[in-house]
Amino acid sequence: MVTGASSGIGEAFCRNLAKRGSNLILVARSADKLEHLAETLSCQYNVDLSCIPIDLAKVNSSQDLFDQVQDAGLSVDVLINNAGFGYWGNFEFASLQDYQNMVNLNVRSMVSLSYLFLPSMLEKQCGGIINVGSVVGYQPVPYGSVYVGTKAFVLQYSESLWGEYRQKGITVTALCPGTTKTNFFNVSIPDQQLRESRMLSMQQGQSPDFVAEVGLNQFLKGKSQAIPGKVNYLVAQASQLLLLLARSLAIRITASLFDPKKD
C-alpha cells in the first residue's frame, strides 16, 4: 500500500512495484488521478490495483482507511507511508491549521497506519514499512521548523521500530531524499518568484524514480535508512558531525541557506 500515490515519489513507488509484479493499494486524495494511474499500471504490468481516495490529514482517516482495506478483504505486506507536505518560510506566516494538518499527515497518519497494519505482518513474520522522511531530518533548519521537526520524527521513529522488529522478520526503513523533482515546492513555497529563486540556489533535484528505486533496494536489504545520492549521504553525515561539534553554528548555517529574504 502506497500513500500519496497520485504523484511524485509515491507515483514512482507504484510504477516500480508494479514493474516488479506487486499488487497495489493506491491511496491519495484525488480519485481521478488514482484511477488513471491504476488503469495505466494494470494495462502495462498485469497486476491487481485497488484505489482508496482519502485525505489522511483528517483525524480518524487512518482508521477509516484500515477499515476499508479490511472490508475489501485485502492484506498489506508492505506499507509505504509517503503522503506528506511542508512549508518553507517564517513560522508566523503560515496558519495554525496548516501546521496542524502537516503534523497530522506527516506524523499522526504514519504512526497510526504503522500501528494498524503491523500486527498482520508480525503474524506472517515478513514484510515491513517504508517511511518517507527527508535529509533535512538530520539537522535543525530554520524557516522550515514544523516540516523539519516532522521529518526528524520520521527518522528516529523508523530506526527505533527497525531495532525493535528486525529480528521478527519485519524491516522498517526511513527513506530520506534530498531535493527531488516533484510538486513539493509548489505547496511549500506558494510565492512563485520566491520559489523559483530558492530552486535556483538549491542543488539539481533527483528524479522520483531514482529515489523510489534506492528506497526499495535498501528496504529489501533490510536497512534502517536509505539516503539517495552520495551528496545527500555526505550532507547527512556532515550535519551530524557539525551538530556534535558546534550546534549553534550548524543552525546559523542552515538559517543563512534557507532565509526567505535571501536573494
Side-chain angles (χ1 to χ4, degrees):
M1 184 169 76
V2 182
T3 69
S6 61
S7 64
I9 295 173
E11 182 181 351
F13 267 120
C14 293
R15 287 197 301 269
N16 194 311
L17 288 163
K19 188 176 181 179
R20 295 172 188 242
S22 300
N23 299 321
L24 300 171
I25 303 171
L26 312 184
V27 180
R29 290 181 298 173
S30 173
D32 291 341
K33 289 182 179 180
L34 289 181
E35 292 293 346
H36 176 72
L37 178 60
E39 183 178 352
T40 301
L41 295 179
S42 180
C43 291
Q44 271 187 301
Y45 301 110
N46 193 31
V47 292
D48 294 331
L49 295 106
S50 301
C51 299
I52 303 180
I54 194 168
D55 184 355
L56 289 173
K58 294 182 177 179
V59 178
N60 298 324
S61 57
S62 296
Q63 184 66 56
D64 292 342
L65 174 57
F66 177 76
D67 292 341
Q68 289 187 55
V69 171
Q70 296 295 103
D71 292 343
L74 301 170
S75 63
V76 173
D77 299 314
V78 176
L79 168 63
I80 300 179
N81 285 308
N82 167 72
F85 75 95
Y87 170 76
W88 292 105
N90 293 81
F91 175 68
E92 77 274 14
F93 289 169
S95 71
L96 179 59
Q97 186 62 58
D98 284 339
Y99 288 134
Q100 290 172 335
N101 288 340
M102 193 189 306
V103 172
N104 283 340
L105 184 58
N106 296 8
V107 174
R108 182 195 290 246
S109 71
M110 177 190 64
V111 172
S112 299
L113 292 175
S114 301
Y115 182 85
L116 291 167
F117 285 102
L118 181 63
S120 63
M121 299 176 191
L122 288 171
E123 286 181 8
K124 292 177 283 190
Q125 295 187 336
C126 68
I129 303 168
I130 298 176
N131 293 321
V132 179
S134 171
V135 73
V136 301
Y138 287 86
Q139 70 275 313
V141 181
Y143 308 107
S145 55
V146 178
Y147 175 72
V148 171
T150 65
K151 293 309 180 181
F153 180 92
V154 171
L155 177 61
Q156 301 296 330
Y157 167 76
S158 301
E159 292 201 305
S160 297
L161 285 186
W162 177 85
E164 188 172 343
Y165 290 106
R166 66 187 182 89
Q167 293 183 334
K168 298 180 181 180
I170 308 299
T171 297
V172 180
T173 301
L175 171 59
C176 301
T179 304
T180 308
K181 297 175 183 177
T182 69
N183 62 3
F184 173 83
F185 289 101
N186 293 340
V187 177
S188 63
I189 308 178
D191 182 88
Q192 181 178 354
Q193 184 176 356
L194 178 59
R195 180 170 65 247
E196 291 175 352
S197 174
R198 297 308 300 161
M199 288 301 292
L200 286 174
S201 67
M202 295 178 185
Q203 64 173 348
Q204 185 177 2
Q206 296 171 328
S207 73
D209 292 322
F210 174 73
V211 171
E213 178 74 12
V214 171
L216 286 170
N217 287 343
Q218 293 298 95
F219 170 78
L220 292 172
K221 292 177 182 178
K223 302 296 185 180
S224 64
Q225 62 175 274
I227 305 175
K230 293 180 180 179
V231 172
N232 288 325
Y233 178 81
L234 291 174
V235 167
Q237 303 311 312
S239 66
Q240 296 292 286
L241 179 60
L242 185 57
L243 285 170
L244 181 64
L245 297 176
R247 195 171 189 89
S248 62
L249 175 60
I251 296 172
R252 289 198 295 272
I253 290 173
T254 54
S256 68
L257 291 173
F258 289 94
D259 187 342
K261 298 186 293 294
K262 183 179 178 181
D263 293 331

